[in-house]
Amino acid sequence: MQKFKENWQISRNWQLIFPLLGLIGLGYSSFKLATLIFNNQITITLVIAAVIFYILLKLTLIIFEKLEKKWAVNYRWELISIFLVFATTGSSSMFVSRPLIKMMGINKENLPTFAYWVLYIVIGFIFYQILLVLIGWIFGQYKFFWDFEKKMLRRFGFKCFAD
């Protein structure tokens, strides 16, 4: 356990929550993918899930090495926290924007399909930006996500909001 803590630069026991949540999320995703491939027998599904878990874990660790150099984080465990924020925000933005779209009366029956999906994506994207900073703050990564948000606003041409 000490070697694991040193590898991820964990100095306090509460920081172990991030690798634990990361592994749980990776395991759940692997199992869901395995049930898409083969759903008849639980034994084969679990074996496929274990293989997918191993592949995704190796891929994630490669991505960590590359992003650790690109993003200026103080500790390696913060990368897990950042990935958890991205995953949580992506799902949450659609759950938040869906009821708002219904309240506004936007549906496929009163709009052309293309217009509906464009509005759906735009509204979801707006909530994604707001939730990214909020959930980043909850996970202790406010500064990273605020800087990330400002950079994104500049790229979209909203320089006045970023400065």
Side-chain angles (χ1 to χ4, degrees), residues 13-156:
N13 286 337
W14 68 266
Q15 296 165 342
L16 286 169
I17 191 76
F18 295 112
L20 179 65
L21 287 174
L23 289 173
I24 289 170
L26 195 63
Y28 178 74
S29 299
S30 301
F31 182 74
K32 291 302 269 184
L33 287 171
T35 57
L36 287 174
I37 296 169
F38 196 83
N39 198 16
N40 292 342
Q41 289 185 341
I42 190 71
T43 309
I44 296 174
T45 304
L46 289 175
V47 169
I48 292 172
V51 170
I52 292 172
F53 179 83
Y54 179 78
I55 292 168
L56 288 177
L57 183 62
K58 287 295 187 184
L59 180 65
T60 303
L61 292 175
I62 291 168
I63 292 170
F64 275 10
E65 287 178 21
K66 293 183 188 266
L67 289 178
E68 187 177 16
K69 295 171 187 166
K70 183 178 179 181
W71 294 340
V73 293
N74 297 327
Y75 305 103
R76 292 188 79 202
W77 62 265
E78 289 181 312
L79 289 170
I80 300 170
S81 176
I82 290 169
F83 278 145
L84 288 171
V85 171
F86 278 123
T88 306
T89 304
S91 304
S92 301
S93 66
M94 287 300 122
F95 287 125
V96 171
S97 63
R98 191 174 296 151
L100 181 69
I101 289 172
K102 287 181 182 178
M103 282 186 348
M104 294 169 62
I106 299 172
N107 57 39
K108 292 178 187 174
E109 287 79 37
N110 62 4
L111 283 175
T113 304
F114 179 75
Y116 170 78
W117 285 109
V118 168
L119 281 172
Y120 190 80
I121 290 169
V122 167
I123 292 171
F125 183 73
I126 291 168
F127 277 103
Y128 180 81
Q129 303 309 314
I130 296 166
L131 288 172
L132 193 63
V133 176
L134 180 67
I135 295 173
W137 175 74
I138 292 170
F139 277 78
Q141 297 298 323
Y142 174 78
K143 182 176 177 0
F144 175 84
F145 284 103
W146 183 241
D147 293 341
F148 185 85
E149 193 64 39
K150 288 190 288 189
K151 186 190 304 183
M152 192 178 302
L153 286 171
R154 282 188 200 101
R155 286 183 181 167
F156 286 133

